[in-house]
Amino acid sequence: MKGVKSVDNNNTLIDLYSVSPKVPGPERPFVHRIGIVGSTGELPIEALFDGGAMVAAMCSRVFARVKDRLGSWGPSDKLLRMANGVVVRSEATWAGRISLGGSERDATFEVFDSAGGWEFLFGKPLLRLFGAKQNFAEDVVEI
C-alpha cells in the first residue's frame, strides 16, 4: 500500500468535538491534494478526507471557478442532509476520473456550498472506491 500524508495548514483553529481529553496536541482533519481529470487536463484540488460523509462533493465556490475546465457535469436532483439536519439541494453533479496517490478511478461528485470549509469533500464513497485505509497513529491514508 502507498501512503499519502495530510497537509498541515491550519494552526489556529481547534475542533471542539474531540471525545478524548488526553489528545497530545491540536487535531487537524486529513487534507490531501487530489486530481480531477477534466476536459483540459488534471485539476489539482485540496480535499478533506471524511469517512463520515456519505457523498463526495466539490464546494460550489470552487466549482464556479473550474466548471468550464471540468466537462462531464450537469444538473443534479439530489438533496443532501447535513450533519445538523439541514437539507441542501445539490447544485450540480459531475462524472469522470479522479486521481489520488498515483491511482485513478471513475467517480462522481455533487456540488454544494461548503461556506469555505473545504474545496473538495472526499467522502466514504470515494474512500471505498480507492480502497483507502486511514492510519490515525501516523496520520496517513493508504491506498
Side-chain angles (χ1 to χ4, degrees):
M1 292 200 154
K2 195 175 191 181
V4 292
K5 286 268 189 196
S6 177
V7 174
D8 182 12
N9 61 358
N10 189 343
N11 296 321
T12 60
L13 178 66
I14 299 171
D15 292 315
L16 299 180
Y17 49 82
S18 174
V19 293
S20 173
K22 298 178 182 176
V23 175
E27 293 292 339
R28 292 173 183 82
F30 188 89
V31 176
H32 185 73
R33 183 161 289 178
I34 63 168
I36 308 291
V37 182
S39 58
T40 62
E42 187 170 296
L43 303 168
I45 301 285
E46 294 294 319
L48 182 131
F49 286 55
D50 185 350
M54 301 297 114
V55 69
M58 180 179 280
C59 178
S60 57
R61 297 170 193 197
V62 174
F63 182 73
R65 290 193 322 258
V66 301
K67 68 181 180 181
D68 294 334
R69 295 183 288 163
L70 285 177
S72 301
W73 64 272
S76 176
D77 61 356
K78 299 275 192 298
L79 298 174
L80 310 169
R81 187 182 325 272
M82 303 296 114
N84 65 0
V86 172
V87 176
V88 174
R89 181 172 301 280
S90 176
E91 298 173 28
T93 190
W94 178 87
R97 307 271 302 159
I98 293 179
S99 67
L100 169 66
S103 296
E104 215 175 87
R105 303 282 190 279
D106 288 324
T108 63
F109 63 76
E110 298 297 317
V111 176
F112 71 96
D113 188 5
S114 74
W118 39 260
E119 290 185 4
F120 191 92
L121 183 61
F122 204 93
K124 189 173 182 178
L126 288 180
L127 292 167
R128 181 179 290 130
L129 183 65
F130 277 89
K133 294 182 178 143
Q134 190 161 9
N135 177 333
F136 290 97
E138 299 296 324
D139 201 20
V140 171
V141 170
E142 297 173 341
I143 55 170

